[in-house]
Amino acid sequence: MYEGKIIEYIDQGNFICALCLQDKGNRLHLLTPTNREVNLPPKRAMLVSSEILGVDHSREGLLGKLKQAEEARIRLKEKIDVPALWELLKEETGSFEGRYLAELCFGEAVGDQHVSALVRALFEDKLYFKMKDGRFFPNSEERIEQMLKQREEEAAREELLGRGGKWLQDVLDGKDVQEPACRDEVVRLLVELAVFGKESPDFKQGKELLKRAGVTDTGEARKILCKIGVWEEDENLDFIRYDIRRSFGPEVLRASRLLAETDPGAAEGGEDLRDLSVFTIDGPMTEDFDDALSVEIHDGEITLGIHITDVAGTVPEGGVLDKEAFHRASSLYLPRTQIPMLPPELSQGILSLTKGSDRAALSLLCRFDGEGNLLDYRFIRSIIRVNKRLDYDKVDATFLEDKDLSALHRLTQILQHRRIEQGALVLSLPEISIRVDPGGEIVLQTLDQNTPARTMVAECMILYNWLVARYCRDHGIPILYRTQEEPGERLPVNEDNYVFYVFKQRRKLSPLKVETEAKSHAGLGLDAYTNASSPIRRYADLVVQRQLRNVLLGKKPVYSAEDLEKIQMLLSVALRDLGTVKRNRSRYWLLKFLLQHTGETFPALVLDEMRNRYRVVLLDFLLVAEMKRQEGQMLQEGQHITVRIQKSDPWNDVLKIEYAGP
């Protein structure tokens, strides 16, 4: 049936004009113009000539005829004006045969060569016609515009890959070359690869870009970004992963400047408490002070003042600053970076309880008898002035010599003891403070959380938050309460192995919840609790402060319970992300510190025994890691051991340790 005819088919995107030497039914044996013989299924034949050339000529003769046929088809193809043909048919509906279209292009007398030329022309320029089942459909104008746009995008993509890949290759080769115009787009692809890996929106394009630069491992994107000066060695990728805002926009800064020009010490109606001796206790590097204390002793009674900066009176609800703070949810404090919830002009300026400045506050004044029993308390809007700025170390060193501090220490010890009697769990571990010097040196410091000064401040803040919660509960003011049910189990306190006890007991705790209904907080041993003592740094605290402040002014609460539930739902997502960023960054710097101490040994504690490994905590860093069990090794939970650092990779969060002895 096909023997002696010219068969045209497509191979690797090219039209091939071949002569059928033999028709085997399910296979056609063909001779190509390059003097190759191939077998082809009949269904792959796009065009079959009606003319029979015959196969009894010499091989040279057959090849000559094929060449002539191919050249004739190419010459005719160049004469076809595809756009003009489309203009002629674009209003028509339905499809057309190739021969009919060839007749429109060449006239009625058309042969195999004309039809082939037509099909070739439409195949090469797929913009105007679509081919299906041997027939041609004119594309719509909309479809043509879409395809033209796709072609432009593909051309731009190829330009990016070509020029961008060459630039990266030159940089990696150490050449001093000028950045291309597509530099920003190249950086975007590399950043996405480094941050999101295979989940990158343009992973294939980024991978191809690196391939053009001679790089096969997409994990090298981070190193390349460092090489071209976009990132530093310790770049925090979580800022990108979790869309952490590190700076404030122009509109927010303008609003901040306007507020900074106001006088927060002139708050109308605030009770003047500037005659009190008010002091702050914070770390030496603190710049935003949102709480201060005062102590008065009369006739054996103590009046404790807890003064919280009045952010609600300065930052209006629903304004640009409020929306920005809501989006951020909380300030973020990292070893080398501090990202405030509110602009520094406010958080370190007019809202900060700085020494010697008049400030508006929401003050809690509590009166205790000599045994530490709470006689009465009241919340007021106030004007205060901080007289002394103290830090934890100074208070620890001098509190016994200071009458007010000594009384405060005794009172807060009583308050803590009573909470413990009511079921509170004291599960504090030292804080591992991480500081990175400008030269890159990592300095670790272990901060005891149970010192007299820290206990004083902690108990005062717990007292403030507890009484805000009770006041709002008893007066029907909707707020966000922090609640916690009883732990699944209360373990006996093990003072001899306290760290092990804390880790084990923490696993037994019920989850913390934030609700609009007042319930007990088992972990703190209190019947109600909220967070209202840090409105500069936490948006939830600002929300509670607004509710309390409005009631003190004789106004309706700002938020309903339904409003608060919506706010909490959105805040919980942001706070979860911030918690992840903080944990990841602390772990990064600890792993980098351990990288510098590879091969050294450190004390550790066995937390869990598993099938093939142990989970341990490195005591100097309170860093949990897994350790492979050695053959025949039998360690006990709670056992103190020594481990050796085998490998630490902060970028990929890898820590390998091995048992080094008891």
Side-chain angles (χ1 to χ4, degrees):
M1 180 178 178
Y2 292 119
E3 188 173 310
K5 295 186 176 183
I6 291 179
I7 306 295
E8 294 182 71
Y9 66 95
I10 296 174
D11 184 43
Q12 297 182 356
N14 298 312
F15 257 85
I16 305 297
C17 194
L19 177 65
C20 181
L21 299 178
Q22 186 179 5
D23 184 349
K24 298 181 179 180
N26 63 344
R27 308 293 279 181
L28 303 178
H29 188 61
L30 307 178
L31 174 66
T32 71
T34 58
N35 198 19
R36 290 179 60 240
E37 294 186 23
V38 298
N39 290 312
L40 190 79
K43 64 181 180 180
R44 284 193 58 191
M46 286 196 65
L47 295 172
V48 180
S49 67
S50 57
E51 178 185 3
I52 299 176
L53 297 181
V55 296
D56 53 352
H57 296 82
S58 65
R59 177 61 68 100
E60 291 76 9
L62 294 176
L63 291 173
K65 289 181 178 294
L66 274 176
K67 184 177 180 181
Q68 291 174 4
E70 177 78 9
E71 291 174 348
R73 285 159 167 74
I74 292 174
R75 284 196 303 272
L76 291 171
K77 181 194 70 174
E78 301 301 328
K79 297 180 180 180
I80 297 175
D81 188 342
V82 176
L85 180 62
W86 175 80
E87 286 286 346
L88 183 65
L89 299 171
K90 67 179 182 179
E91 303 297 336
E92 301 289 335
T93 59
S95 61
F96 305 93
E97 290 183 343
R99 182 168 291 276
Y100 172 73
L101 297 179
E103 290 172 353
L104 291 179
C105 293
F106 296 106
E108 294 186 3
V110 297
D112 295 335
Q113 295 177 345
H114 299 87
V115 175
S116 173
L118 182 281
V119 173
R120 287 169 182 249
L122 299 189
F123 178 80
E124 289 181 5
D125 187 352
K126 299 180 179 65
L127 183 62
Y128 295 96
F129 290 87
K130 178 178 70 175
M131 184 172 67
K132 184 179 179 181
D133 299 329
R135 298 181 68 82
F136 296 89
F137 299 78
N139 284 324
S140 65
E141 291 188 49
E142 293 78 8
R143 175 59 180 160
I144 290 174
E145 289 179 4
Q146 183 183 22
M147 292 175 68
L148 283 172
K149 184 178 179 181
Q150 289 175 347
R151 288 184 180 183
E152 291 174 0
E153 290 174 351
E154 289 172 2
R157 176 180 177 274
E158 181 57 34
E159 175 82 2
L160 166 67
L161 294 174
R163 291 187 179 275
K166 181 63 168 60
W167 172 53
L168 294 180
Q169 186 177 46
D170 288 343
V171 171
L172 293 174
D173 289 341
K175 298 179 181 178
D176 185 13
V177 292
Q178 186 176 359
E179 294 180 343
C182 59
R183 182 259 187 199
D184 290 346
E185 185 65 9
V186 170
V187 168
R188 181 189 69 81
L189 290 173
L190 291 176
V191 168
E192 289 183 354
L193 276 181
V195 175
F196 302 109
K198 291 185 178 180
E199 302 301 319
S200 167
D202 295 309
F203 175 74
K204 290 184 178 179
Q205 189 174 6
K207 184 178 180 180
E208 178 63 22
L209 174 69
L210 289 182
K211 184 179 178 182
R212 301 282 184 100
V215 178
T216 57
D217 181 6
T218 56
E220 294 294 303
R222 178 191 69 82
K223 294 181 181 178
I224 295 174
L225 286 164
C226 294
K227 177 80 173 178
I228 62 179
V230 175
W231 283 354
E232 62 174 13
E233 181 184 352
D234 300 304
E235 194 76 22
N236 191 343
L237 305 194
D238 279 344
F239 287 158
I240 302 170
R241 290 191 183 100
Y242 297 101
D243 188 26
I244 303 297
R245 295 182 182 177
R246 285 172 278 180
S247 59
F248 294 93
E251 188 179 6
V252 175
L253 292 175
R254 279 196 299 271
S256 176
R257 282 193 294 271
L258 287 174
L259 281 182
E261 295 171 359
T262 64
D263 180 7
E268 187 176 343
E271 188 170 329
D272 192 344
L273 300 181
R274 285 174 289 185
D275 59 332
L276 291 179
S277 178
V278 179
F279 56 91
T280 59
I281 305 176
D282 283 279
M285 305 303 291
T286 302
E287 295 180 315
D288 49 352
F289 301 90
D290 48 20
D291 59 84
L293 304 172
S294 62
V295 177
E296 292 181 291
I297 305 172
H298 296 291
D299 300 328
E301 293 183 353
I302 298 176
T303 299
L304 170 63
I306 305 173
H307 314 278
I308 305 300
T309 182
D310 185 3
V311 178
T314 302
V315 178
E317 188 269 335
V320 62
L321 283 166
D322 182 57
K323 291 178 180 178
E324 181 73 11
F326 176 59
H327 177 87
R328 292 171 180 252
S330 173
S331 296
L332 183 61
Y333 300 98
L334 303 175
R336 287 203 310 176
T337 309
Q338 292 188 3
I339 304 177
M341 184 179 76
L342 291 166
E345 279 183 306
L346 299 179
S347 59
Q348 298 176 20
I350 65 168
L351 295 180
S352 182
L353 303 181
T354 51
K355 179 182 175 182
S357 299
D358 293 349
R359 293 289 186 254
L362 258 65
S363 296
L364 168 64
L365 300 178
C366 303
R367 192 164 60 91
F368 293 90
D369 65 19
E371 301 302 317
N373 298 306
L374 179 62
L375 301 176
D376 57 56
Y377 70 91
R378 63 189 180 110
F379 286 100
I380 58 171
R381 295 173 54 245
S382 64
I383 304 298
I384 67 168
R385 180 185 298 153
V386 173
N387 308 113
K388 292 182 289 186
R389 174 181 174 178
L390 307 176
D391 63 43
Y392 294 117
D393 290 342
K394 184 173 182 179
V395 172
D396 287 334
T398 63
F399 78 93
L400 291 176
E401 304 163 7
D402 185 293
K403 181 183 67 172
D404 292 343
L405 290 178
S406 179
L408 178 60
H409 176 246
R410 179 176 177 275
L411 174 61
T412 53
Q413 280 189 314
I414 293 173
L415 295 176
Q416 184 183 64
H417 180 70
R418 287 180 179 165
R419 287 196 304 105
I420 293 173
E421 288 181 334
Q422 293 165 189
L425 290 166
V426 180
L427 301 174
S428 61
L429 291 173
E431 176 190 346
I432 307 301
S433 171
I434 305 169
R435 189 180 79 251
V436 184
D437 288 345
E441 182 183 358
I442 304 170
V443 181
L444 304 183
Q445 184 181 6
T446 301
L447 302 177
D448 185 357
Q449 298 301 294
N450 295 319
T451 66
R454 291 179 183 274
T455 300
M456 289 183 217
V457 173
E459 287 300 323
C460 287
M461 296 307 110
I462 291 173
L463 176 65
Y464 187 94
N465 291 326
W466 170 53
L467 291 178
V468 169
R470 292 192 69 182
Y471 182 88
C472 291
R473 179 195 65 187
D474 297 343
H475 290 79
I477 305 167
I479 62 167
L480 294 170
Y481 295 94
R482 295 183 68 84
T483 69
Q484 186 179 42
E485 296 179 1
E486 280 291 317
E489 180 183 1
R490 286 181 178 266
L491 302 176
V493 178
N494 185 346
E495 295 291 351
D496 294 331
N497 203 350
Y498 185 70
V499 173
F500 182 70
Y501 156 73
V502 171
F503 271 92
K504 287 296 185 180
Q505 182 62 75
R506 283 180 176 179
R507 294 181 188 177
K508 305 291 184 180
L509 296 179
S510 300
L512 286 169
K513 297 179 181 179
V514 180
E515 305 177 87
T516 54
E517 181 182 352
K519 298 178 183 177
S520 64
H521 193 302
L524 292 175
L526 298 172
D527 59 347
Y529 197 71
T530 188
N531 274 350
S533 57
S534 193
I536 289 180
R537 304 174 185 176
R538 297 190 298 245
Y539 190 80
D541 294 43
L542 174 56
V543 167
V544 175
Q545 188 182 74
R546 283 189 175 130
Q547 298 291 81
L548 177 62
R549 185 178 190 277
N550 256 32
V551 171
L552 295 178
L553 284 168
K555 299 179 181 179
K556 290 176 58 178
V558 178
Y559 309 99
S560 67
E562 291 75 17
D563 294 333
L564 294 174
E565 288 173 355
K566 293 177 183 177
I567 289 171
Q568 167 55 21
M569 181 178 65
L570 296 172
L571 281 180
S572 63
V573 176
L575 291 171
R576 180 196 62 204
D577 291 345
L578 290 177
T580 300
V581 172
K582 189 171 183 179
R583 287 190 300 273
N584 288 351
R585 205 54 185 166
S586 294
R587 185 174 176 86
Y588 173 88
W589 287 110
L590 290 175
L591 291 183
K592 185 158 187 178
F593 179 86
L594 292 174
L595 173 63
Q596 299 169 358
H597 296 271
T598 303
E600 297 182 25
T601 59
F602 295 94
L605 175 70
V606 179
L607 293 177
D608 300 289
E609 179 184 2
M610 294 171 283
R611 183 176 180 182
N612 298 315
R613 61 195 188 280
Y614 295 99
R615 183 178 290 112
V616 305
V617 56
L618 278 67
L619 294 172
D620 290 350
F621 319 104
L622 295 179
L623 184 66
V624 176
E626 292 188 355
M627 180 180 72
K628 187 176 180 181
R629 182 201 292 264
Q630 298 174 6
E631 186 175 352
Q633 187 179 62
M634 294 296 293
L635 301 177
Q636 303 297 320
E637 293 184 0
Q639 182 176 343
H640 285 257
I641 61 174
T642 303
V643 299
R644 180 177 291 104
I645 307 301
Q646 291 180 295
K647 178 182 179 181
S648 184
D649 181 353
W651 265 101
N652 296 301
D653 191 20
V654 173
L655 177 61
K656 291 185 179 180
I657 59 176
E658 64 178 353
Y659 178 73

